[in-house]
């Protein structure tokens, strides 16, 4: 067209110096990805030369230099400098050549869309923005629902001025960019009617742990600015990308309903282009995206990442009139994707304190300090360096104060907000979306903020002690013995993905039931048997599900799949529920289905429940969840394991019950393991081995039952020792008999994690795998390697892999 305007299909990533990172990326997607079916709204960009011509013809540069120098010298504050710099642009006029070029393009966009005065988004795109090493997230302004020629020119002028927002100035100072070397391009893009639909953000990497095989989507009703700003708690979805192409698989491993209390829509009348409303209750209670839409966005995200050759941060929108999805921005992810050292860093608290608040964890670090509550940007001047910043929401206007904080707590916002992105870039831990941080915490209060416990962050009372350890993974020795990891919490599943584990030796189903679901499964099968209060709470929890049983199956299936994802395609052994009756009774509605027992440890637990009329229908839900995780979600690497199976006859009844619920051993590659934790399991090992594909020694229960010591008794604790000669004989005999029968055998109990010398004993006996708690895995691997060096290699069962998984970092 001319030197001042270029259409998106005329530019690509080589044109960052001309149209900035954001517009170059929009052009790249338009030209390269629309042929693959990815929809990008049409539009055009003003060039960097247009910005420089605007500055030159209005004589702005000398005043810019003077004001920036006054700010650096301390003569004026950041706020004062920013106000004056923006005034220079807002009071300037567009040179006729630039204005004509913009308006001709706007008219042409109207012809393309069939609308005389199309509504457009007017977005800022700096030439130092959306780079792999610096996102400048939210540093400049975006103006939505702009319609009419003069309105477009006004929005363009305000975009130029936004190159010198307080946050943009502070961010460039922190990143070392020359203010005057940066130019601004403006993107003018057809508006997607997401005010009638939905919008949000998508990352093609887990932003907290760097786990690369997942797409994370945040979604809310209406225009996307509230999600980006962190002003709304969005829905959250996670998709495991390696299974996206498996026929029939729908690998959505997390669906979390957000509050979505507010929504931004088009303005009505006057000069306001947008307005923010309370979200209707029915929309707050509903998921924003269908499963098909989640999967489509994930496939688009994977295509974008493949094209750019790196993890990406993508904004998307769904048109409420047509139902079509669009990608409206794409920029490089700038935190996890640039970490190249093969290092595993672990932070953990060494003290405990009262839990005050919880929210989404940003980062994986811990920070301790005193609280400083800032309710309004005008109060920023009173912030003390190194304090814990507490605010309703830390939007990008607060970059200058975020950089001075040791930790951040907010009432609102999600893990994909601009504030979260900036906090990650600056390496500052944050707990966002706590709901009541500004009300619960007070100025000067000592607190500890922990993001080291999974994707849920916690704020504890007091300045607690903590430590950080760092291990060079390139120096971890390889072992013949498979080293697996024990996992329990889906929220922490990705935290351990860098560990050199061969798979999961023990995933505890009951942890998911207790901490994610919280309801006794039989209370969902027979809600009529529980009291009125429990029924009301069950109705609230299962809102959105046609059948309350579906709530249990979906939550459990996705929780199991999330535990399995970091280790796919390697084996993930999931133990069927092993609550005792007293523990089941504590679940919502549980008292109606459980009877008191004198000795729950030896009572109605494990295998005996699965075929009994009192629990058979609940076990059917467990089987349905496992079947869903393996077949619909696609994780065929999941191996169910039967706990506390007393006799071979009981094993037959459990396997029959599983088969009746669609889990047939040997079909669709299904293997079934058994916990070897009762003396009878060892004594009759050859009979059990004909029924199961593998054993896993549970050293806790086996020790208890061999020595006759209640493992929960403090009085008898000195007698509880897995290294007692009688226990070791049982373990050695179990290993020998399993190998005689040709099946694999491992151990998943606590002993190898607590006693590295016990791990050496297991190697001497020729055990096939050792499953360790994550925090002890790295130090125990060394002991295993040392023990192996002293032992000749042993023959392994034919179906036992002989190499450990290697992890690329």
């Amino acid at each position: 067209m001319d030197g001042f305007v270029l259409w998106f299909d005329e530019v690509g990533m080589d044109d960052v110096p001309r149209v900035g990172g954001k517009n170059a990326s929009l052009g790249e997607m338009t030209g390269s990805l629309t042929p693959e079916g990815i929809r990008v709204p049409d539009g055009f960009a003003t060039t960097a030369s247009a910005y420089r011509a605007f500055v030159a013809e209005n004589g702005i540069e000398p005043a810019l230099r003077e004001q920036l120098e006054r700010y650096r010298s301390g003569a004026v504050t950041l706020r004062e400098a920013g106000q004056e710099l923006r005034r220079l642009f807002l009071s300037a006029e567009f040179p006729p050549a630039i204005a004509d070029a913009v308006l001709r393009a706007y008219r042409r966009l109207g012809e393309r869309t069939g609308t005389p005065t199309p509504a457009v988004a007017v977005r800022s795109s700096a030439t130092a923005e959306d780079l792999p090493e610096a996102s400048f997230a939210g540093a400049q302004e975006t103006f939505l629902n702009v319609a009419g020629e003069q309105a477009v020119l006004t929005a363009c002028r305000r975009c130029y001025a936004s190159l010198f927002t307080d946050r943009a100035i502070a961010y460039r100072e922190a990143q070392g960019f020359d203010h005057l070397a940066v130019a601004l391009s403006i993107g003018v893009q057809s508006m997607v009617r997401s005010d009638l639909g939905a919008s949000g953000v998508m990352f093609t990497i887990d932003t907290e742990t760097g786990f690369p095989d997942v797409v994370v989507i945040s979604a809310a009703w209406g225009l996307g600015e509230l999600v980006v700003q962190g002003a709304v708690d969005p829905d959250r979805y996670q998709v495991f990308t390696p299974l996206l192409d498996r026929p029939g698989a729908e690998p959505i491993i997390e669906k979390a309903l957000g509050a979505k209390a507010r929504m931004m829509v088009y303005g009505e009348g006057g000069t306001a282009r947008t307005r923010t409303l309370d979200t209707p209750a029915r929309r707050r209670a509903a998921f924003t995206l269908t499963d098909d839409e989640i999967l489509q966005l994930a496939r688009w995200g994977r295509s974008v990442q493949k094209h750019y050759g790196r993890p990406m941060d993508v904004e998307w929108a769904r048109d409420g009139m047509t139902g079509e999805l669009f990608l409206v921005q794409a920029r490089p992810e700038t935190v996890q994707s640039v970490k190249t050292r093969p290092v595993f860093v672990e932070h953990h608290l060494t003290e405990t304190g009262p839990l005050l608040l919880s929210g989404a964890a940003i980062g994986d670090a811990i920070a301790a300090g005193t609280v400083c509550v800032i309710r309004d940007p005008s109060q920023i001047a009173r912030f003390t360096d190194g304090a814990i910043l507490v605010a309703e929401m830390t939007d990008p206007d607060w970059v200058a104060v975020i950089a001075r904080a040791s930790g951040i707590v907010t009432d609102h916002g999600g893990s994909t907000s601009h504030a979260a992105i900036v906090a990650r870039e600056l390496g500052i831990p944050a707990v966002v979306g706590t709901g009541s941080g500004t009300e619960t915490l007070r100025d000067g209060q000592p607190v500890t903020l922990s993001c080291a416990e999974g994707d849920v962050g916690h704020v504890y009372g007091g300045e607690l002690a903590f430590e950080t350890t760092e291990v060079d993974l390139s120096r971890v020795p390889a072992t013949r013995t498979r080293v697996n990891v024990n996992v329990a919490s889906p929220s922490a599943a990705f935290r351990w993905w860098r560990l050199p584990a061969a798979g999961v030796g023990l995933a505890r189903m009951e942890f998911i039931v207790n901490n994610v679901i919280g309801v006794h499964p039989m209370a969902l099968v027979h809600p009529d048997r529980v009291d009125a209060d429990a029924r009301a709470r069950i109705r609230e929890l299962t809102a959105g599900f046609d059948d309350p049983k579906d709530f249990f199956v979906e939550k459990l299936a996705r929780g199991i799949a999330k535990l399995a994802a970091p280790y796919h395609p390697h084996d993930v052994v999931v133990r069927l529920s092993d609550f005792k009756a007293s523990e089941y009774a504590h679940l919502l509605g549980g008292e109606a289905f459980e009877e008191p027992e004198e000795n729950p440890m030896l009572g109605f637990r494990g295998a005996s429940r699965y075929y009994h009329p009192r629990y058979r229908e609940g076990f059917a839900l467990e089987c349905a969840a496992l079947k869903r995780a393996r077949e619909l979600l696609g994780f065929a690497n999941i191996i169910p394991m039967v706990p506390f199976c007393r006799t071979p006859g009981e094993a037959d009844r459990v396997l029959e019950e599983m088969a009746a619920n669609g889990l047939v051993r040997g079909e669709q590659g299904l293997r079934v393991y058994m916990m070897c934790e009762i003396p009878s399991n060892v004594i009759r090992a050859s009979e059990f081995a004909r029924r199961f594909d593998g054993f896993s020694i549970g050293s806790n229960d086996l020790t208890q039952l061999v020595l006759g010591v209640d493992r929960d008794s403090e009085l008898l604790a000195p007698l509880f020792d897995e290294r007692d000669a009688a226990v070791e004989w049982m373990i050695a005999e179990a290993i020998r008999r399993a190998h005689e029968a040709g099946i694999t055998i491992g151990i998943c109990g606590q002993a190898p994690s607590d006693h590295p010398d016990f791990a050496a004993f297991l190697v001497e006996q020729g055990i096939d795998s050792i499953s360790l708690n994550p925090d002890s895995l790295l130090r125990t691997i060394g002991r295993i390697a040392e023990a192996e060096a002293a032992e000749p290699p042993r023959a392994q069962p034919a179906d036992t892999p002989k190499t450990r998984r290697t992890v690329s970092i």
Side-chain angles (χ1 to χ4, degrees):
M1 186 176 287
D2 49 42
F4 296 139
V5 168
L6 293 168
W7 288 92
F8 288 158
D9 57 14
E10 297 176 314
V11 298
M13 289 312 297
D14 293 337
D15 296 300
V16 172
R18 289 206 291 170
V19 295
K22 187 176 297 164
N23 287 334
S25 186
L26 282 169
E28 185 75 19
M29 287 196 297
T30 299
S32 300
L33 295 177
T34 52
E36 297 185 21
I38 294 176
R39 288 183 286 268
V40 181
D42 196 9
F44 60 89
T46 67
T47 62
S49 61
Y51 168 81
R52 294 190 176 101
F54 182 96
V55 170
E57 294 199 30
N58 283 282
I60 290 174
E61 184 169 338
L64 284 177
R65 291 186 181 278
E66 177 187 355
Q67 199 60 224
L68 287 167
E69 186 55 40
R70 294 187 69 204
Y71 165 60
R72 288 202 185 97
S73 68
V76 294
T77 65
L78 174 61
R79 182 178 290 270
E80 291 168 339
Q83 286 177 339
E84 178 57 25
L85 291 169
R86 293 190 293 276
R87 187 194 63 78
L88 294 172
F89 286 90
L90 294 174
S91 61
E93 293 295 332
F94 266 100
I98 301 175
D100 288 346
V102 170
L103 294 180
R104 285 201 307 274
Y106 178 68
R107 293 172 195 136
R108 177 61 181 147
L109 183 63
E111 293 171 5
R112 290 188 180 192
T113 59
T115 306
T117 55
V120 294
V122 182
R123 305 180 185 275
S124 306
S125 177
T127 56
E129 184 178 49
D130 294 345
L131 303 178
E133 68 278 4
S135 71
F136 281 79
Q140 282 85 46
E141 298 285 1
T142 291
F143 301 95
L144 303 177
N145 190 29
V146 179
E149 295 183 0
Q150 290 307 308
V152 168
L153 286 180
T154 298
C156 288
R157 186 183 293 107
R158 293 175 68 186
C159 279
Y160 280 164
S162 77
L163 188 58
F164 292 94
T165 60
D166 296 355
R167 60 182 181 263
I169 297 168
Y171 192 86
R172 285 194 295 270
E173 288 283 319
Q175 295 286 346
F177 284 90
D178 181 350
H179 297 280
L180 295 177
V182 177
L184 193 111
S185 167
I186 301 165
V188 179
Q189 187 178 35
S190 293
M191 280 290 294
V192 177
R193 290 303 305 267
S194 58
D195 64 308
L196 303 176
S199 53
V201 178
M202 170 170 60
F203 283 92
T204 65
I205 189 174
D206 182 57
T207 52
E208 309 312 324
T209 67
F211 179 54
D213 293 335
V214 70
V215 165
V216 182
I217 302 169
S218 295
W221 300 109
L223 303 173
E225 290 304 292
L226 296 185
V227 176
V228 171
Q229 294 169 6
V232 66
D233 300 321
D235 292 343
R236 174 181 165 91
Y237 313 101
Q238 291 185 338
V239 180
F240 184 63
T241 53
L243 292 175
L244 274 172
D245 294 327
R246 176 169 292 186
E250 299 178 7
I252 304 169
I253 60 175
E254 182 180 340
K255 288 178 66 175
L257 190 69
K260 306 183 296 292
R262 306 279 281 167
M263 57 186 292
M264 182 180 286
V265 299
Y266 283 2
E268 294 182 355
T271 58
R273 291 182 294 271
T274 62
R275 58 197 176 112
T276 301
L277 308 174
D278 290 337
T279 305
R282 60 178 179 78
R283 282 193 154 190
R284 293 185 62 179
F287 280 111
T288 317
L289 294 173
T290 66
D291 287 358
D292 286 344
E293 289 169 334
I294 295 166
L295 294 170
Q296 181 177 339
L297 283 174
R299 291 188 178 96
W300 283 6
R302 185 183 57 177
S303 295
V304 170
Q305 173 169 304
K306 181 179 179 181
H307 178 77
Y308 284 86
R310 60 175 301 115
M312 299 293 288
D313 166 3
V314 182
E315 292 183 27
W316 61 271
R318 184 182 67 210
D319 192 299
M321 298 179 69
T322 66
E324 293 179 315
L325 290 168
F326 293 86
L327 300 188
V328 297
Q329 276 191 48
R331 60 174 74 88
E333 194 275 342
T334 58
V335 180
Q336 295 293 345
S337 58
V338 299
K339 295 181 179 179
T340 58
R341 293 178 62 211
V343 171
F344 182 78
V345 179
E346 183 182 4
H347 311 269
H348 61 91
L349 293 166
T350 57
E351 284 186 303
T352 59
L355 177 62
L356 305 178
L357 294 163
S358 296
I362 306 302
D364 61 1
I366 298 172
T370 57
V371 167
C372 184
V373 180
I374 303 292
R375 298 184 180 277
D376 184 272
S378 65
Q379 301 175 339
I380 285 176
R382 70 179 185 83
F383 185 79
T384 304
D385 288 355
I388 302 293
L389 172 65
V390 179
E392 290 186 6
M393 67 176 191
T394 54
D395 65 35
D397 278 323
W398 298 39
V399 170
V401 71
I402 290 174
R404 296 161 51 206
S406 62
I408 302 164
V409 178
T410 71
D411 293 351
H412 308 295
S415 60
T416 56
S417 66
H418 274 153
I421 295 170
V422 173
R424 289 188 197 100
E425 283 193 20
L426 298 178
I428 299 167
V431 178
V432 302
T434 63
S436 61
T438 55
E439 300 300 322
T440 302
L441 305 178
R442 63 184 186 279
D443 278 340
Q445 180 181 2
V447 298
T448 299
L449 182 156
S450 173
C451 296
E453 300 164 66
D455 56 16
V456 177
H458 302 293
V459 180
Y460 298 100
E463 294 192 36
L464 307 178
F466 62 91
E467 59 185 29
T468 299
T469 57
E470 186 174 292
V471 176
D472 184 349
L473 295 178
S474 66
R475 300 171 67 90
V476 176
T479 61
R480 296 191 306 271
T481 308
R482 295 196 314 279
V483 179
N484 296 324
V485 65
N486 297 330
V487 295
S489 169
S491 69
F494 297 163
R495 181 182 175 194
W496 311 110
W497 76 271
R498 283 190 171 89
L499 289 176
V504 174
L506 175 64
R508 300 175 179 91
M509 182 185 286
E510 63 267 15
F511 187 98
I512 303 173
V513 174
N514 188 55
N515 292 280
V516 178
I517 298 171
V519 185
H520 195 292
M522 292 296 288
L524 297 169
V525 177
H526 296 289
D528 53 299
R529 297 187 191 176
V530 303
D531 61 41
D533 287 344
R535 280 200 303 275
R537 290 172 63 191
I538 288 171
R539 280 196 298 271
E540 183 179 340
L541 282 171
T542 60
F545 291 86
D546 293 334
D547 187 327
K549 296 190 294 292
D550 295 338
F551 164 78
F552 184 95
V553 172
E554 177 168 315
K555 290 288 186 182
L556 183 55
R558 296 196 198 282
I560 292 170
K562 190 171 180 180
L563 290 178
Y567 307 95
H568 183 272
H570 301 278
D571 291 350
V572 173
V573 180
V574 179
R575 188 177 68 189
L576 299 168
S577 65
D578 193 25
F579 280 130
K580 288 70 176 174
S582 55
E583 295 168 330
Y584 266 117
H586 290 140
L587 294 171
L588 180 60
E591 291 183 355
F593 302 95
E594 301 297 332
E595 297 177 1
E597 292 184 325
E598 289 294 328
N599 192 345
M601 195 71 74
L602 295 178
F604 191 45
R605 61 173 289 200
S608 62
R609 299 184 72 94
Y610 307 150
Y611 55 87
H612 195 282
R614 279 177 49 194
Y615 190 73
R616 177 183 284 128
E617 292 167 297
F619 182 62
L621 301 186
E622 295 184 27
C623 292
L626 281 166
K627 184 177 175 65
R628 182 182 180 92
R630 281 178 49 84
E631 298 175 16
L632 180 63
L633 303 186
F635 291 89
N637 58 319
I638 292 171
I639 302 172
M641 181 162 64
V642 179
F644 225 77
C645 187
R646 295 170 170 94
T647 68
E650 184 165 69
D652 291 336
R653 298 190 69 174
V654 171
L655 291 170
E656 289 169 5
E657 202 68 33
M658 292 177 68
N661 286 289
L663 294 175
V664 181
R665 181 183 170 219
E667 290 189 4
Q668 300 196 44
L670 178 65
R671 289 168 287 161
V672 183
Y673 283 8
M674 183 193 80
M675 291 287 292
C676 184
E677 56 189 340
I678 304 171
S680 65
N681 298 151
V682 179
I683 296 166
R684 305 183 71 178
S686 59
E687 296 173 77
F688 283 110
R690 290 196 293 270
R691 293 160 168 83
F692 295 100
D693 301 284
F695 292 160
S696 185
I697 298 168
S699 58
N700 293 347
D701 271 328
L702 189 60
T703 301
Q704 172 177 242
L705 296 173
V706 169
L707 298 181
V709 175
D710 182 349
R711 68 192 231 193
D712 293 332
S713 170
E714 293 183 13
L715 184 64
L716 300 178
L719 295 174
F720 188 93
D721 188 354
E722 301 93 331
R723 296 166 295 178
D724 183 273
V727 180
E728 289 192 342
W729 184 90
M730 278 283 186
I731 290 173
E733 186 68 4
I735 295 170
R736 184 183 69 81
R737 289 182 175 229
H739 287 166
E740 280 183 354
I743 68 169
T744 186
I745 183 168
I747 187 167
C748 60
Q750 186 74 19
S753 297
D754 290 344
H755 309 296
D757 59 320
F758 188 72
F761 159 75
L762 295 169
V763 171
E764 292 169 6
Q765 299 305 313
I767 200 158
D768 299 315
S769 64
I770 297 175
S771 196
L772 302 160
N773 294 335
D775 58 358
S776 66
L777 186 141
L778 290 171
R779 69 173 181 267
T780 309
I781 281 180
R783 294 291 186 95
I784 294 171
E786 291 173 5
E788 288 180 344
E791 289 286 319
R794 295 172 181 265
Q796 293 176 305
D799 65 344
T800 301
K802 295 179 174 60
T803 57
R804 292 177 56 241
R805 179 171 73 110
T806 56
V807 179
S808 299
I809 297 178

